[in-house]
Amino acid sequence: DGRQVLIAPLRSPAGGTRVARLMSDGTGITQPSWDASGRLWVLDRGPGGARMLVSDDGVTVREVRVPGVSGTDARRILVSRDGTRLIVLVRRSDGDQLVAARVMLGNRGRIARVVDSTVIRTLPGQQAIDVAWTEAAQVAVVSPARPGELFEVETVAADGATVGVDTLSTVVTGRVIGLAGEPYTETPVYAVTRDVLVDIRTG
């Protein structure tokens, strides 16, 4: 119901399953995002706008203010594998935006603060459906080109220094409901429909 986050290992120890409740006071929690060091980012969409929460240890959770994101109508978050970059899909009345922010790490790898929020892509008059990593410094965003029939997947540089440089645009036929990708050039990036997966690199 979007109110709690549970954490469990991929392989349970013999004789039982270890499930821990990380938080249970959410309002509209979306899909969380891990980095390679096990830090977990959580977006909670409440009546007062987005709250960004993070768990450094998988036991406790705390709120972190993200400029340009906290308090907005944010819809989806991604964190880079090294934990230093945050990508957020923000809903706006005049067209959705992709916002990139830099994450500063402190002692023992603990997240200290978030700085340098930058809009890396604006989709004029469009509402994006999903966003996913395609490379270490690139993300793909999918939005309707002809609702219900054609969907456009654009690849956008996630580095604020290369704002506005789109390297790939693919049109997918069918009702796309999401994206599935990894930050590695050698793995496929899929547009997900209810029936098939479409590799946006090859069509």
Side-chain angles (χ1 to χ4, degrees), residues 6-201:
L6 305 178
I7 296 178
L10 289 176
R11 292 182 177 86
S12 297
T17 300
R18 294 181 301 167
V19 179
R21 181 179 287 106
L22 180 64
M23 59 179 292
S24 58
D25 60 346
T27 301
I29 296 170
T30 66
Q31 180 178 335
S33 184
W34 296 95
D35 67 22
S37 296
R39 292 173 291 248
L40 181 65
W41 286 85
V42 178
L43 167 62
D44 187 19
R45 300 172 55 224
R51 288 195 310 147
M52 298 296 299
L53 303 116
V54 67
S55 176
D56 300 284
D57 54 11
V59 177
T60 59
V61 65
R62 60 192 171 93
E63 186 170 354
V64 176
R65 177 158 182 79
V66 180
V69 174
S70 296
T72 70
D73 188 9
R75 296 299 176 113
R76 179 82 162 88
I77 57 171
L78 297 174
V79 62
S80 62
R81 294 289 292 163
D82 64 2
T84 63
R85 181 179 289 125
L86 191 66
I87 304 293
V88 186
L89 177 61
V90 177
R91 177 64 43 85
R92 292 178 56 91
S93 60
D94 55 349
D96 289 359
Q97 292 181 336
L98 281 179
V99 176
R102 298 294 298 183
V103 179
M104 305 295 292
L105 302 178
N107 295 334
R108 301 178 183 176
R110 182 179 169 88
I111 293 168
R113 59 195 175 98
V114 180
V115 297
D116 296 335
S117 173
T118 305
V119 176
I120 60 172
R121 183 74 169 98
T122 299
L123 303 169
Q126 292 183 315
Q127 292 187 346
I129 296 170
D130 200 5
V131 61
W133 291 107
T134 60
E135 296 182 16
Q138 289 184 346
V139 294
V141 58
V142 60
S143 57
R146 187 184 301 157
E149 299 179 26
L150 298 176
F151 291 78
E152 183 177 16
V153 181
E154 296 180 76
T155 302
V156 182
D159 187 345
T162 55
V163 172
V165 178
D166 296 337
T167 60
L168 176 67
S169 180
T170 303
V171 174
V172 178
T173 303
R175 186 182 294 275
V176 176
I177 59 176
L179 293 173
E182 292 183 311
Y184 308 112
T185 56
E186 65 274 14
T187 59
V189 178
Y190 293 113
V192 181
T193 76
R194 297 193 183 279
D195 303 311
V196 299
L197 302 175
V198 180
D199 188 338
I200 68 168
R201 299 190 195 275

